[in-house]
Amino acid sequence: MERSTIVRVHEGLHARPATRFVKLAKGFESDVEIVKDGKAVSAKSSVKLMLLAVKENQEVTVRANGADAIEAIEALIGYLENPRAGLDDENEAGDEGSEAAAPARKATPAAAPTDRTPELQGVAASEGVAIGPAFAHFPPEIEGPDRRLQADEIEGELKRFRGAVASVQARMDRTLAENNLSAGDRGIVAALRDIAADDSLTGEVERLIQGGEDAVSAVIAAAATIAADFSAVDDHYLNARADDVHAVGRQVCLALLGQDEVSLETIPQGAILIADDIGAWDLARAPLKRIGGVVCGHGGATSHIAIIARSHGIPAVLGLGDKINELRTAREVAIDGSAGHVIVDPDEAARADFARRVEAAAQERAGLKVFKNVTPTRADGTVIEVAANIGSLEEIEAAQEAGAMGVGLFRTELLFMRHMHLPSEEMQAETYSALARAFAPHPVIVRTLDIGGDKPIAGIEFPDEENPFLGWRGIRMCLDRPDIFKKQLRALLRAAVHGNIKVMLPMVSEIAEVTRTRALVEECAAELKTEGVPHAGFDLGVMIETPAAVLIAPALAKEVAFFSIGTNDLTQYIMAADRLNPTVAKLNDVTNPAVMSAIELTAKAGVAAGIMVGMCGEAAGRPDLIPIFIGMGLTELSMSPASIQRAKKTIAATAAEQ
Ligand code: PEP
Ligand code: MG
């Protein structure tokens, strides 16, 4: 029997709703198929279902054949007609695991110290000192042996493969039983677990093994084929599933090779994380409270790894380049994140020195606590807002604990990066509202989506660019994609009813970008009015982070309510020195007179026009520069929560001296 309906599931059967639908279908004995545009697939295969790319408002038919066909059709049609299907249970205690979400990782085993040069110099990326056990995190490249099987080996190889799949699933199930996953992580893992079990993958691997390929090569090949199918679907959300298929294939291969997966989840308390490169999102969802320090071959002082480390008060030395390989076998590591020093297997004297410094830093932190509730002012009594840079609601507590006077930069990228699909207007409105409520009456400055450059996200296809930092990023991308941008602007207008939301645009380089955005904001406000949705206006400001914006600052100041100087990008663009490239780290220096005069020009233009001039680049938290910035007329400084109390102390001391 069969029944047709129009799909009302919000955003269609993308990853999470698809896995839930499959789970429901699997609860029935009947064979169940879902048909769209004449194409029928099993409703018990997540991969096939996702590849069918069923979208909201499309017509589909559910077909069932078996003893419980009537009940199956009732339940599945009911699911498809529910707009919140697959989303309502996102906050449930997890019935899904987490490690699987990340590609498999393997820790390099520790070895005895050697007599190599013990001290290495990298980029000072997040201040503080730490000493702890080394946790090397170098995911291995997996290659199949590419061996043709003899006919009598095939049965054994199939068995080995099935065993590997079972062990991967068991590990996922174990993790789910123990873990407190965020809703976003849970959705990712749900999809991965289903992919591991899905007969699209297992069937293809078995077919290849039967044809004589060894299991590892077969898994790599099958995962590549299915991933290519996902990449080819005309749906941004589903394109991103290709990475999930690779991640699952990788796990199965590791199980076949008998290699243990060691993810960041297993990092011991106080350990120093050592990696060549690590994704911002991988670090963001790692157990950050346990990480004592970070050392990476890649990255610079303003890369996103550095920003995450700073916002959690984790010392970090990045940009070690190939020297990172000298740490692969370290047992213990001491790092000075302020000087960029790394000591491999420190001797007794160095250990004692670091232990003393760690203790002194803890005492300094304790001493700074008295500044938490201070409202710092200039000598003339003008309040200097010391606000927080954050990227997720999870960081609200740390910012409040530090004494943040609002949010000077809410980076919305993470909101887009951490989900398997572009966030809906509804969920964005909820997020921005939660922020506004948390910091009211202080202002909350939300930066519109700033992706491209070093921050690509799944769900938006970026062109291959020779120079992504000079390419399609920030406001440029948003204005070209009003479908994405308008959702964000509508969400911001809705959250603005709380009265303290301000909005700023990243990467502005000409006035037309502001006027075009303002026209879109007006269009969105008119739509919301017609729809009867409560909303309010907001102050619109711009980040000053391109040389062009500095040079047109006097004209720009007449168009906007505030400036916020983004020194991270401004420094790289003024100095023409890539912020991620350790080889030019010396040039990437905000104190260079060229950068300082760009900041001064901006401040002058803003002050002359009577608008607020703030700063949200990392330099805003530097005690050596804060007096200079205040002298230039800046009245807002936004920084990592870990820097807030010291900044307040510095401002108070500066005023007292004058
Ligand atoms: C900056 O460029 O200074 C800034 C704050 O933005 P981001 O670091 O996110 O590019
Ligand atoms: Mg920037």
Side-chain angles (χ1 to χ4, degrees):
M1 64 176 297
E2 63 179 50
R3 222 168 93 194
S4 298
T5 190
I6 302 293
V7 176
R8 299 293 179 207
V9 178
H10 182 56
E11 293 183 350
L13 295 184
H14 59 80
R16 174 75 174 175
T19 55
R20 286 281 153 181
F21 183 84
V22 168
K23 193 171 176 187
L24 188 61
K26 281 182 175 166
F28 297 97
E29 273 174 30
S30 301
D31 290 333
V32 191
E33 283 184 335
I34 180 159
V35 191
K36 188 191 99 176
D37 298 335
K39 185 170 177 206
V41 301
S42 165
K44 297 186 179 180
S45 159
S46 306
V47 170
K48 291 195 176 108
L49 186 60
M50 284 193 265
L51 282 170
L52 198 60
V54 175
K55 303 207 173 120
E56 190 176 351
N57 297 327
Q58 284 184 332
E59 183 173 355
V60 296
T61 302
V62 177
R63 219 179 254 163
N65 193 356
D68 50 7
I70 298 177
E71 292 85 346
I73 288 195
E74 272 300 307
L76 294 171
I77 292 280
Y79 183 96
L80 293 172
E81 291 176 350
N82 174 7
R84 293 203 55 80
L87 300 174
D88 287 335
D89 51 2
E90 282 197 343
N91 294 322
E92 265 172 18
D95 61 348
E96 289 121 7
S98 82
E99 279 184 17
R105 309 284 191 213
K106 176 153 169 51
T108 308
T114 68
D115 56 1
R116 66 183 159 250
T117 320
E119 186 163 330
L120 304 171
Q121 176 70 46
V123 175
S126 175
E127 65 174 37
V129 281
I131 178 163
F135 185 85
H137 181 71
F138 291 87
E141 280 288 316
I142 297 178
E143 278 173 28
D146 243 345
R147 187 170 73 79
R148 296 301 298 170
L149 299 172
Q150 306 292 326
D152 62 351
E153 291 176 305
I154 288 177
E155 209 38 56
E157 195 70 346
L158 283 170
K159 235 168 118 183
R160 231 164 61 74
F161 165 65
R162 288 175 196 141
V165 172
S167 82
V168 167
Q169 285 183 291
R171 189 170 56 219
M172 291 176 175
D173 287 341
R174 263 200 314 278
T175 317
L176 68 85
E178 295 161 2
N179 242 300
N180 294 323
L181 293 173
S182 71
D185 281 358
R186 200 171 297 137
I188 293 168
V189 177
L192 293 180
R193 191 181 54 178
D194 276 17
I195 289 169
D198 200 282
D199 58 8
S200 303
L201 180 66
T202 55
E204 177 63 7
V205 174
E206 296 200 2
R207 195 185 65 74
L208 291 169
I209 295 175
Q210 263 145 2
E213 276 196 52
D214 69 271
V216 173
S217 308
V219 172
I220 294 171
T225 309
I226 295 170
D229 288 345
F230 274 113
S231 300
V233 180
D234 181 21
D235 182 311
H236 295 314
Y237 305 149
L238 292 170
N239 296 153
R241 304 287 66 74
D243 288 344
D244 299 342
V245 175
H246 282 303
V248 167
R250 183 179 177 84
Q251 300 244 344
V252 176
C253 287
L254 284 173
L256 279 166
L257 294 166
Q259 293 179 6
D260 276 344
E261 183 196 29
V262 180
S263 78
L264 291 179
E265 283 299 318
T266 62
I267 192 163
Q269 184 63 41
I272 310 295
L273 169 61
I274 296 159
D276 185 27
D277 195 8
I278 180 170
W281 173 221
D282 280 337
L283 184 63
R285 65 187 163 159
L288 292 162
K289 286 207 164 70
R290 291 211 298 273
I291 298 179
V294 178
V295 182
C296 278
H298 284 70
T302 56
S303 66
H304 284 85
I305 292 302
I307 290 166
I308 293 170
R310 275 196 291 270
S311 73
H312 291 270
I314 301 172
V317 178
L318 306 181
L320 254 82
D322 288 345
K323 286 181 283 181
I324 193 73
N325 292 322
E326 296 178 35
L327 280 105
R328 280 178 182 258
T329 55
R331 289 156 64 102
E332 191 181 37
V333 176
I335 70 170
D336 179 339
S338 315
H341 291 156
V342 179
I343 301 178
V344 185
D345 295 320
D347 59 19
E348 272 314 310
R351 293 173 110 203
D353 177 42
F354 266 81
R356 253 194 319 274
R357 291 166 65 189
V358 168
E359 176 57 27
Q363 276 181 10
E364 195 212 349
R365 270 199 306 279
L368 284 172
K369 283 214 170 90
V370 295
F371 291 93
K372 174 179 169 184
N373 295 318
V374 165
T375 301
T377 59
R378 275 194 321 218
D380 68 358
T382 306
V383 171
I384 305 292
E385 311 249 5
V386 181
N389 289 354
I390 61 176
S392 67
L393 297 184
E394 286 89 339
E395 292 165 66
I396 289 178
E397 205 186 317
Q400 287 175 333
E401 268 306 297
M405 300 156 71
V407 173
L409 167 61
F410 181 68
R411 291 186 164 93
T412 54
E413 299 77 70
L414 208 55
L415 198 63
F416 283 70
M417 284 160 76
R418 70 195 307 178
H419 291 278
M420 301 178 75
H421 50 88
L422 296 171
S424 63
E425 175 186 321
E426 195 59 39
M427 98 81 105
Q428 288 190 63
E430 275 168 26
T431 305
Y432 308 144
S433 295
L435 262 181
R437 281 194 302 267
F439 288 95
H442 292 301
V444 166
I445 302 182
V446 179
R447 177 174 73 184
T448 58
L449 188 57
D450 183 15
I451 46 175
D454 68 325
K455 324 171 208 173
I457 59 160
I460 303 176
E461 248 179 84
F462 281 84
D464 278 339
E465 297 180 310
E466 290 271 338
N467 293 302
F469 270 125
L470 303 180
W472 199 55
R473 60 172 296 200
I475 190 65
R476 305 166 183 187
M477 187 285 284
C478 284
L479 285 169
D480 285 347
R481 288 293 304 268
D483 54 325
I484 297 169
F485 197 23
K486 277 183 70 180
K487 262 192 202 161
Q488 183 167 45
L489 295 174
R490 283 172 56 105
L492 286 163
L493 286 162
R494 289 169 59 181
V497 294
H498 297 285
N500 57 338
I501 289 280
K502 298 184 183 189
V503 176
M504 73 179 168
L505 310 177
M507 285 299 295
V508 166
S509 49
E510 56 178 15
I511 288 173
E513 289 160 341
V514 177
T515 44
R516 286 176 63 200
T517 301
R518 213 184 281 290
L520 277 181
V521 173
E522 277 160 20
E523 199 176 305
C524 291
E527 283 169 14
L528 289 168
K529 191 168 173 208
T530 314
E531 292 160 24
V533 179
H535 63 283
F538 47 66
D539 274 357
L540 184 66
V542 288
M543 290 193 67
I544 302 288
E545 50 184 349
T546 67
V550 174
L551 295 172
I552 58 165
L556 210 44
K558 297 201 179 97
E559 298 291 329
V560 296
F562 63 93
F563 283 164
S564 183
I565 305 173
T567 50
N568 308 341
D569 276 315
L570 186 61
T571 307
Q572 80 161 341
Y573 293 131
I574 292 276
M575 298 305 297
D578 186 340
R579 65 193 263 188
L580 300 181
N581 183 345
T583 347
V584 292
K586 268 213 184 98
L587 277 175
N588 205 292
D589 175 10
V590 70
T591 64
N592 186 291
V595 186
M596 291 303 278
S597 74
I599 295 170
E600 192 170 16
L601 279 174
T602 305
K604 265 195 186 136
V607 171
I611 62 168
M612 183 195 90
V613 183
M615 178 181 285
C616 61
E618 292 301 311
R622 281 182 55 169
D624 55 333
L625 301 179
I626 286 174
I628 305 174
F629 296 147
I630 290 177
M632 289 177 180
L634 271 64
T635 54
E636 185 242 25
L637 297 168
S638 189
M639 59 199 70
S640 306
S643 306
I644 286 178
Q645 290 170 5
R646 191 179 308 130
K648 286 188 173 185
K649 180 181 175 185
T650 309
I651 300 165
T654 311
E657 270 169 27
Q658 284 167 358

